Amino acid sequence: MAVSKGEMEDQISRALTQWEKEYLGRGSIAVKTDIIRNIILVQLKGILTPAEKNLAMTKEGLLSVKRIRSDLIESGSEQLKEIILRITGKDVISMYTDISTRTGERVIVFLLRDNLEEEFRK
């Protein structure tokens, strides 16, 4: 039995939360995943530690938090691409991420080789 688009989005959210806990040592407070054509957009809320929030109050600290968090995600990017491939059956051709130190949110964008959304219209 095939999964629905909503079920797959939920599977991705849960898998990325689990990856965060295992790889980064803690998970986000809330995760929302949307599949749009060949794009998987993941919003993660509540990812900053209290120390990171405090550090981000200065420009130097803010840049440091962004750089370190970006490096951490980049170092695990192959694992993240594997998670997406396992759940969707689609190859990830590129991945982008950014973090807002103001809101404590991260966005991860996965670009897939093929249109995943049209699979749910069949």
Side-chain angles (χ1 to χ4, degrees):
M1 182 181 135
V3 299
S4 71
K5 181 179 170 192
E7 289 168 334
M8 185 175 286
E9 290 167 339
D10 184 57
Q11 284 178 8
I12 293 168
S13 292
R14 283 187 280 118
L16 292 187
T17 298
Q18 185 62 35
W19 177 84
E20 278 187 308
K21 287 178 182 173
E22 290 173 5
Y23 192 75
L24 302 175
R26 67 187 297 267
S28 49
I29 294 170
V31 181
K32 173 74 173 105
T33 300
D34 291 293
I35 298 169
I36 309 150
R37 295 180 309 277
N38 68 322
I39 299 166
I40 297 175
L41 175 63
V42 184
Q43 297 172 276
L44 304 106
K45 296 183 179 186
I47 64 161
L48 294 179
T49 66
E52 287 171 323
K53 289 178 189 173
N54 193 39
L55 187 60
M57 289 183 182
T58 67
K59 181 162 176 65
E60 298 80 23
L62 180 148
L63 294 173
S64 177
V65 168
K66 282 177 93 71
R67 186 180 63 252
I68 291 167
R69 282 294 187 139
S70 179
D71 290 349
L72 285 170
I73 295 295
E74 188 60 38
S75 70
S77 64
E78 290 308 312
Q79 292 174 3
L80 291 168
K81 291 174 184 178
E82 280 296 315
I83 290 169
I84 298 300
L85 174 62
R86 180 175 42 81
I87 293 172
T88 67
K90 305 288 184 192
D91 286 324
V92 176
I93 55 174
S94 57
M95 182 184 102
Y96 306 92
T97 185
D98 197 14
I99 185 173
S100 169
T101 53
R102 188 177 54 78
T103 64
E105 294 176 308
R106 167 181 296 289
V107 174
I108 304 174
V109 178
F110 296 95
L111 292 183
L112 307 177
R113 184 172 315 285
D114 302 306
N115 186 331
L116 177 58
E117 190 174 34
E118 71 185 9
E119 302 281 323
F120 300 104
R121 297 188 188 130
K122 294 179 180 176

